[in-house]
Amino acid sequence: MNTRTITLRALLVASALGLGFGVTACKKEEPTPMEKATDSVKDAFDARPNEELKDAGEDAKSAVENAGDAVEKKADEVTK
């Protein structure tokens, strides 16, 4: 093995380790049941930070789910 191969292999290992540590550092933790309950209460009273943005995101999520259901229903009708 020459020096270039060893250097490339070391660089690859270092990159893989760095990427692995970077991904685990960015992992989002699941909220506890108490945090979920608090968020639900704040949602009911429109008291969450950035409430308008969160509501818009929830509305968009519902719209996508409804569109998916409609596509499935239409596909079932067409295949019958």
Side-chain angles (χ1 to χ4, degrees):
M1 288 190 354
N2 61 21
T3 310
R4 184 176 177 172
T5 305
I6 294 171
T7 304
L8 288 175
R9 186 172 289 167
L11 182 61
L12 180 65
V13 169
S15 297
L17 286 174
L19 182 62
F21 289 128
V23 169
T24 57
C26 294
K27 190 173 184 180
K28 185 177 179 181
E29 294 182 18
E30 290 294 319
T32 64
M34 188 62 183
E35 291 171 338
K36 288 181 182 178
T38 302
D39 192 48
S40 296
V41 170
K42 286 183 178 181
D43 183 25
F45 289 106
D46 291 332
R48 297 181 296 178
N50 303 316
E51 182 67 32
E52 294 84 17
L53 247 98
K54 289 183 179 184
D55 284 343
E58 291 166 355
D59 292 344
K61 179 182 174 186
S62 295
V64 169
E65 288 173 352
N66 291 341
D69 292 342
V71 168
E72 286 179 9
K73 183 178 177 183
K74 196 63 166 177
D76 288 342
E77 290 174 4
V78 170
T79 57
K80 287 184 181 180

